[in-house]
Amino acid sequence: MFLKSLSYSELEGTGYAWELQGLSLGQVNLVVGKNAKGKTRTLNVITGLGKLLGAQLELQWSSGHYDAEFSDGSDSYRYILSIVNNAVVIEKFIKNGAVLLDRGAGGIGQVFSQTVGKMIAFQAPETQLAAVGRRDQINHPFFEILHQWGASLYYFEFSGNLGKDLVAISQGDSPSVISKFDAPKDTRRVVGIFQAGVTQFGDVFKNRVISEFNSLGYELENVSIDAPAGINFPEVSGRPSWIWVKEKDLPQPIQQAHISNGMFRALSLVIQLVYSDFAYQPSCVIIDDIGEGLDFDRSCKLIELLLAKCSNTSMQLIMASNDRFVMNKVPLESWTVLDRKGHICNVYNYSNSKEKFDEFKFTGLNNFDFLASDFIWESSKE
C-alpha cells in the first residue's frame, strides 16, 4: 500500500506550531530543500504515523493532526487522526468513500462490524488508537492494511552510523539471532540482522549482500561476523561480535571499527535491504540524508540500486537529501521541494507545479541547480 498524500499540523495557536501542507507522493520520492526547511521533520512525521499504526509506539505526544491518503492500486483509503492534550479526539478510517471508523472525543465512536453488517458503537481508551486497539480479523479486518503499512515501514538515518557503534552479544553457545519481525525495525542492529540473514538463508544471503554492495563500486571478497580484535568491552556480559570485511586488495580482513563511515553506512543499508528482500517485503523505506559521506560514483550507484529495487517491487521509497550527486541522479518528476515560511512547510512538486518543472528542463542545467538557483520561486517573480 502506498502513502499518496499527507497533511499534518501540531500545536496550532502556540509559538511551537508547525504545519505540512499537501504532501503528495509517488513510488519514488526525493524530498529536497535548503537547511531547516522541514525535510527531516517531514520524514519523522511519516515514520511516527507508521509506528503508531504498526503498534510499535504508544501515543506519547500532546498534539498532532494527520490526514493521510493511501492506495493499494484497486482501493483508496483515508485515515484521519487528531490528538489534543495527549488524547485522541478525532479518528476516522474511510475506504472508497465508505466510513468504517468514526470516533470522537471521550473515545466514543462507531466502527463497522463485518459480522453484523453495520456500524456499531464502541468506546476506546482516549490514549489508544482504535485502528490498533480494535484490530480483529473477524469483525474489523480492514484495519489490517493500516497495521501492515505501519509495521512494514523502515526508517534509515544515513547521516548516522547505522549501527557502526553496536556489537551483537551472544550468551553461552547460543548465537545472537534477531527475531524475524522485531529487530529489523531498529536499523542500527545491522550486526544482528546480518547474522540473522546468514542463519536463516545461508550463503545465498551473504553472496547477495556482497554482489549488491560491490555494484556500488566496492570490491569485497567476503563479509563475516566475528569477535572484535584488540578491543575490550568490559561492560558487556557475553561474547561480543561484529562485522568484518575482506577487500580484494587487502591481505587481511578489516573489522567494523576500521571501516570508513561512508562505506559502513552503505554496507549497513545494503545488508538490511537484502534481508528485507529475503524475509518480507517492506511497504515503505524512508532514508534521510541519502548519499551523505559517499563520493560521486558510489552515491550515484547507490541511487541506481535503490531505484532498481523499487522497479521490481511495490516498495515505496521516500528519500531526503541535499547531496548534489543524489539530486542529479533522481528525475525531477520524483522531487518534492519543501519551503518553510514561518511555521508552514509548503510543498512543490510535479503534480502541483508541473509548468515550473517542465520550464526548468529547457534550461539544460543540472537538477541540483533547480534548488540552488531558487528556480521555482525566482521564475514566479518574473
Side-chain angles (χ1 to χ4, degrees):
M1 185 169 73
F2 279 75
L3 176 62
K4 287 180 60 181
S5 68
L6 176 68
S7 294
Y8 175 81
S9 63
E10 64 182 32
L11 299 168
E12 296 90 337
T14 75
Y16 304 101
W18 190 80
E19 183 174 348
L20 174 67
Q21 293 189 338
L23 175 68
S24 60
L25 298 164
Q27 184 180 16
V28 176
N29 308 274
L30 179 65
V31 180
V32 304
K34 298 186 177 180
N35 288 339
K37 293 299 184 181
K39 300 187 297 298
T40 296
R41 196 164 182 174
T42 295
L43 301 191
N44 287 340
V45 167
I46 299 171
T47 304
L49 180 61
K51 287 184 176 180
L52 286 175
L53 292 172
Q56 301 148 41
L57 189 67
E58 294 183 353
L59 197 61
Q60 57 186 214
W61 44 90
S62 62
S63 171
H65 308 279
Y66 305 84
D67 191 342
E69 289 186 296
F70 300 90
S71 174
D72 67 356
S74 57
D75 295 311
S76 62
Y77 306 88
R78 186 179 178 192
Y79 181 73
I80 301 170
L81 175 66
S82 185
I83 302 162
V84 177
N85 295 330
N86 300 95
V88 176
V89 296
I90 298 174
E91 187 178 11
K92 290 186 178 182
F93 185 49
I94 303 163
K95 178 181 178 182
N96 297 331
V99 177
L100 301 175
L101 169 68
D102 188 359
R103 167 195 181 180
I108 300 171
Q110 291 191 318
V111 61
F112 184 79
S113 169
Q114 197 80 20
T115 53
V116 177
K118 64 179 183 180
M119 300 289 281
I120 60 173
F122 75 97
Q123 183 172 16
E126 288 185 291
T127 56
Q128 188 179 77
L129 271 61
V132 174
R134 295 193 68 86
R135 282 179 59 207
D136 178 344
Q137 288 278 17
I138 297 175
N139 274 303
H140 319 301
F142 39 82
F143 287 141
E144 279 307 301
I145 198 163
L146 283 177
H147 175 75
Q148 289 170 7
W149 174 79
S152 302
L153 183 150
Y154 291 85
Y155 174 81
F156 297 92
E157 190 177 7
F158 204 80
S159 60
N161 57 36
L162 283 181
K164 191 181 178 188
D165 58 343
L166 296 182
V167 297
I169 304 299
S170 301
Q171 301 290 343
D173 295 329
S174 301
S176 170
V177 177
I178 59 172
S179 107
K180 181 177 178 181
F181 298 105
D182 296 338
K185 301 300 295 184
D186 185 347
T187 54
R188 299 169 305 162
R189 295 187 59 186
V190 61
V191 181
I193 292 169
F194 180 78
Q195 195 172 41
V198 172
T199 301
Q200 294 173 30
F201 309 110
D203 286 344
V204 177
F205 169 80
K206 184 166 76 171
N207 292 336
R208 173 86 168 273
V209 169
I210 294 172
S211 173
E212 290 201 4
F213 188 66
N214 285 348
S215 75
L216 305 182
Y218 297 96
E219 293 189 339
L220 291 190
E221 288 182 338
N222 193 25
V223 184
S224 58
I225 299 289
D226 207 342
I231 302 174
N232 295 320
F233 295 86
E235 74 282 5
V236 170
S237 174
R239 291 183 290 107
S241 58
W242 60 11
I243 289 174
W244 291 71
V245 298
K246 171 67 174 67
E247 295 183 78
K248 289 181 180 178
D249 61 349
L250 290 177
Q252 298 294 331
I254 57 176
Q255 57 182 327
Q256 189 168 307
H258 300 153
I259 300 172
S260 76
N261 291 337
M263 178 177 174
F264 189 85
R265 286 197 290 263
L267 178 61
S268 176
L269 182 63
V270 167
I271 287 172
Q272 297 187 62
L273 291 180
V274 170
Y275 181 82
S276 73
D277 285 346
F278 277 74
Y280 49 83
Q281 181 59 57
S283 63
C284 182
V285 171
I286 296 176
I287 310 174
D288 196 10
D289 284 322
I290 183 68
E292 178 74 21
L294 297 181
D295 57 48
F296 167 77
D297 187 50
R298 283 162 178 151
S299 185
C300 292
K301 287 179 176 174
L302 179 58
I303 295 301
E304 290 174 359
L305 178 66
L306 293 170
L307 296 181
K309 283 183 177 293
C310 280
S311 69
N312 296 324
T313 68
S314 59
M315 180 182 82
Q316 185 176 29
L317 178 63
I318 304 174
M319 306 175 288
S321 181
N322 270 341
D323 186 290
R324 175 192 295 265
F325 309 140
V326 170
M327 290 191 215
N328 287 337
K329 198 67 181 176
V330 177
L332 285 174
E333 287 82 352
S334 297
W335 276 39
T336 290
V337 183
L338 297 184
D339 182 43
R340 182 177 58 81
K341 301 292 186 187
H343 68 276
I344 297 177
C345 193
N346 296 297
V347 173
Y348 301 90
N349 55 29
Y350 206 75
S351 64
N352 66 17
S353 305
K354 182 177 184 298
E355 289 184 1
K356 299 297 180 187
F357 280 76
D358 285 343
E359 184 183 343
F360 177 78
K361 291 180 179 179
F362 289 109
T363 65
L365 297 172
N366 292 323
N367 289 359
F368 174 76
D369 295 311
F370 185 77
L371 178 68
S373 67
D374 291 330
F375 185 86
I376 197 164
W377 301 286
E378 291 299 323
S379 60
S380 300
K381 297 175 183 177
E382 296 173 356

